[in-house]
Amino acid sequence: MASPRTERRPSVSKTPQIGGALPRVSWKTSLAVLVILGLTGWSGLGVGFDLLDLLSGAQPVQSFVSEMFPPDLSASTLQTTFTGVVETFQMAFLGALIGAVVAFPLAALGTREASTVGASRARRLALAVPYHAARLLTNVFRSVPDILWALVFVVALGLGPFPGMLALAVHSAGVLGKLYSETLEAVPERPVEALHETGASGFGAFIFGRMPQAMASVTSLSLYQWECNLRSATILGFVGAGGIGQEILVSMQLFDYPKVATLVGATIIVVLIVDRFSAALRSRLVN
């Protein structure tokens, strides 16, 4: 006869039981959910979100879209579309190229060097001035939306694609300057430190130690900015900064909706082509 200590306890099934304990939620998660719900309600009240208004607006949108078909495929419209697409492409490309050229020295100055840790106060001060100046300039360039830059340049230079290209270049310089500097700061420091230990100057260590490691990412970011510029260039036409957006605005004002359909369709096709080309090229560079 088994003693009470050696008696086996009835086995407990490990199968989850329905109606078991609910998963525990931490107070941080609960607080985050409450904050998100509160911000959602506050923002909805602020913008006057109304689902009934949204549903009632479906009929006018359907009528507008139906009036766009069939698209206008006449020779004059196709020629106007082709001219607008080419102009938009040129604005986006040149804006990204000039932006990248301006952004690179700003990023080089705005890259924090780990080797300055432990350096003398005078050396740290000498490096801090250009660092903060470059960071401030890139923040100013990218904080102002490209459409506002376009308005400034249109007022200064008049209507046309040139002000639009300048607006894209300035905004791209700000965006790329920040992204380049963050990419340059994220590369491994060992090659840079090794060059410093062999007596290389700061410029030499940057060119031969930091740049080669970041070059693929820098090129990828430049291509992505080119994609963004292509979409932005369409919007800039609405303030008179050239491109296919200006043709869309004029056609909208004349209620020529079939022509609008042709222009919008051509824009979508070009954006998709550039997006796929750029994505494939970036994938090859990164991998």
Side-chain angles (χ1 to χ4, degrees):
M1 181 178 180
S3 65
R5 290 185 178 181
T6 58
E7 287 182 354
R8 293 184 178 179
R9 296 181 179 178
S11 61
V12 179
S13 174
K14 296 183 179 179
T15 306
Q17 300 295 320
I18 298 176
L22 293 174
R24 301 182 62 182
V25 179
S26 67
W27 67 270
K28 292 181 180 178
T29 305
S30 304
L31 181 62
V33 171
L34 287 176
V35 169
I36 291 172
L37 289 176
L39 285 175
T40 304
W42 177 67
S43 303
L45 289 174
V47 302
F49 184 84
D50 192 330
L51 190 58
L52 293 177
D53 280 351
L54 179 63
L55 295 176
S56 62
Q59 183 60 36
V61 171
Q62 185 179 358
S63 302
F64 171 72
V65 173
S66 63
E67 290 180 15
M68 296 173 70
F69 292 92
D72 183 2
L73 299 178
S74 63
S76 60
T77 298
L78 291 179
Q79 184 177 1
T80 304
T81 304
F82 178 76
T83 304
V85 166
V86 170
E87 200 170 76
T88 302
F89 184 89
Q90 292 167 336
M91 287 168 56
F93 177 77
L94 208 53
L97 181 63
I98 295 176
V101 170
V102 175
F104 190 76
L106 291 176
L109 293 173
T111 300
R112 189 185 296 277
E113 289 286 344
S115 59
T116 57
V117 177
S120 65
R121 179 177 297 181
R123 175 173 167 73
R124 282 189 279 117
L125 182 62
L127 293 175
V129 173
Y131 170 81
H132 289 290
R135 287 281 178 154
L136 176 64
L137 203 55
T138 55
N139 286 338
V140 171
F141 283 170
R142 69 187 176 84
S143 298
V144 179
D146 45 16
I147 196 166
L148 289 184
W149 283 119
L151 283 171
V152 171
F153 287 119
V154 164
V155 170
L157 303 172
L159 301 175
F162 184 51
M165 185 278 296
L166 289 177
L168 292 173
V170 173
H171 189 69
S172 299
V175 173
L176 290 177
K178 177 178 174 55
L179 296 176
Y180 286 174
S181 60
E182 291 181 352
T183 303
L184 290 166
E185 286 179 353
V187 301
E189 289 288 334
R190 293 296 297 274
V192 182
E193 292 172 358
L195 285 170
H196 278 302
E197 290 173 0
T198 58
S201 63
F203 180 75
F206 178 83
I207 293 296
F208 298 107
R210 198 175 293 277
M211 269 301 299
Q213 301 183 79
M215 206 56 214
S217 298
V218 166
T219 307
S220 174
L221 291 170
S222 305
L223 290 170
Y224 180 70
Q225 185 61 35
W226 176 38
E227 292 178 36
C228 296
N229 281 0
L230 197 61
R231 288 185 280 269
S232 298
T234 305
I235 305 299
L236 298 188
F238 284 79
V239 295
I244 199 167
Q246 196 163 335
E247 296 293 339
I248 293 174
L249 178 64
V250 172
S251 300
M252 290 282 288
Q253 291 172 337
L254 296 175
F255 303 103
D256 191 355
Y257 297 134
K259 187 174 181 179
V260 172
T262 305
L263 293 166
V264 172
T267 304
I268 293 173
I269 292 172
V270 172
V271 169
L272 289 177
I273 291 173
V274 171
D275 180 74
R276 294 305 306 163
F277 170 74
S278 177
L281 197 55
R282 282 188 285 118
S283 176
R284 290 179 65 86
L285 286 171
V286 173
N287 296 327

